[in-house]
Amino acid sequence: MTTPILEVKGLTKRFSIQKGWFQKNSYVHAVNGIDLAVRKGETLGIVGESGCGKSTLGRCILRLLTPTSGETIFQGKNIRSLSKPELKAMRRDMQMVFQNPFDTLNPKLMIQQILSEPLIAHGIPKKDRQTLLEETIEIVGLGKQHLLRYPHEFSGGQRQRIGIARALMLRPKLIIADEPVSALDVSIQSQILNLLQDLQEQFELTYIFISHDLSVVRHISDRVAVMYLGEVVEFGDKKELFASPLHPYTQALLSATPVSDPDEKRARIILQGDLPSPSNPPGGCKFHPRCPSCFDMCKKVSPTLQDVNEQLVACHLYG
Ligand SMILES: Nc1ncnc2c1ncn2[C@@H]1O[C@H](COP(=O)(O)OP(=O)(O)O)[C@@H](O)[C@H]1O
Ligand SMILES: [Mg+2]
């Protein structure tokens, strides 16, 4: 395997929650010791229920949040060891696309101003900016005339195209897309997913694609990491993972998504209870209170990821 473009080692993020003057602070364990290696040019899907720590992981990788501990190595460089100017240079190569671009597009600015911001911040000369603006707005399927409009003049799908254009302005190497189609109608979702795939080919992009929606992740990813309460519980090639999910949590998630192939029969597994609070996670395997296959050891010992048929799975059922 070639060297990964991005490696994450033991990434952990705890948020402290203040309780009151005389009470001890408690912590939300949003992300807990995650290891990942992302290959150049691939799409790594990250899937899991809302609240399992996907966005926090994405933000820690981009250093929009400072992790509590752990390392991020991007293009061979440990981000922690970078000086301020080096960190700024690295930011050019890593960009984020958000779920709801309307929240992140300043309503008072014209699209051309919004898209120029990253160019100005990174010192791109004025003479090159207009060309980049016109080129990029067309690449995402809009036209030059749209540059002089305001965010409210666009539909949800068009706004996401603008969000993607903004992420592309500096021609990054890695894009972290956090629920980029979750706020869109299904018909628009596939247009945006196709656009992301075309752009990946054209610009040799690497994606980390975050979603709670397994069918969207299935459509776009090469490999998939399944998260539960801040941890990766299963990781593998998309084909194998969807054909033979090993972790009971992945099996349950998969059983709840609609099947397109009528020959593909599976029984729906209904999980007991809700996702426990990350401020008070259960001991042993964090999934054990909801697991249909739970046995004694699961309540006491936390399983680690191990290789089973070239998939990684953290579950005592596999030894
Ligand atoms: N700034 C914050 N302060 C305290 N808790 C937070 C903060 N951001 C996220 N959390 C908590 O961390 C957990 C993971 O959140 P998040 O990463 O947004 O999950 P996801 O993206 O998978 O829905 C949740 O329990 C959430 O409430
Ligand atoms: Mg999120």
Side-chain angles (χ1 to χ4, degrees), residues 40-106:
K40 190 171 185 299
E42 79 166 335
T43 299
L44 176 71
I46 296 185
V47 72
E49 281 164 288
S50 173
C52 72
K54 306 180 295 296
S55 298
T56 306
L57 173 65
R59 285 163 190 267
C60 284
I61 292 174
L62 285 184
R63 278 298 192 276
L64 298 176
L65 282 173
T66 309
T68 309
S69 60
E71 308 292 334
T72 309
I73 295 140
F74 181 61
Q75 301 192 110
K77 285 187 186 154
N78 191 325
I79 292 183
R80 213 208 291 256
S81 68
L82 299 182
S83 62
K84 266 200 170 159
E86 283 173 321
L87 191 65
K88 189 171 175 193
M90 187 216 70
R91 287 240 154 87
R92 265 186 87 147
D93 289 336
M94 275 202 212
Q95 295 288 325
M96 189 139 186
V97 173
F98 297 93
Q99 170 170 359
N100 192 348
F102 204 55
D103 291 345
T104 54
L105 300 178
N106 185 337

Side-chain angles (χ1 to χ4, degrees), residues 194-236:
N194 290 341
L195 172 67
L196 286 170
Q197 282 177 317
D198 292 346
L199 294 172
Q200 180 165 45
E201 215 167 286
Q202 192 174 350
F203 294 101
E204 297 179 347
L205 288 164
T206 306
Y207 288 142
I208 295 181
F209 190 98
I210 296 173
S211 179
H212 69 280
D213 184 339
L214 214 61
S215 47
V216 169
V217 166
R218 184 178 199 167
H219 179 88
I220 198 156
S221 310
D222 299 303
R223 296 190 300 159
V224 174
V226 180
M227 275 182 76
Y228 187 79
L229 269 187
E231 292 172 2
V232 172
V233 295
E234 184 160 2
F235 184 63

Side-chain angles (χ1 to χ4, degrees), residues 218 242 251 253-259 264-268:
R218 184 178 199 167
F242 281 93
Q251 291 167 356
L253 275 186
L254 207 61
S255 81
T257 58
V259 282
E264 196 180 323
K265 288 201 186 74
R266 44 175 137 85
R268 173 111 195 231

Side-chain angles (χ1 to χ4, degrees), residues 11-40:
L11 198 80
T12 297
K13 178 69 184 177
R14 280 195 317 249
F15 294 105
S16 92
I17 21 182
Q18 226 124 36
K19 283 207 159 158
W21 283 99
F22 301 106
Q23 281 171 303
K24 262 185 151 179
N25 283 359
S26 66
Y27 292 96
V28 176
H29 301 262
V31 170
N32 225 338
I34 287 195
D35 297 322
L36 285 176
V38 188
R39 298 170 185 160
K40 190 171 185 299

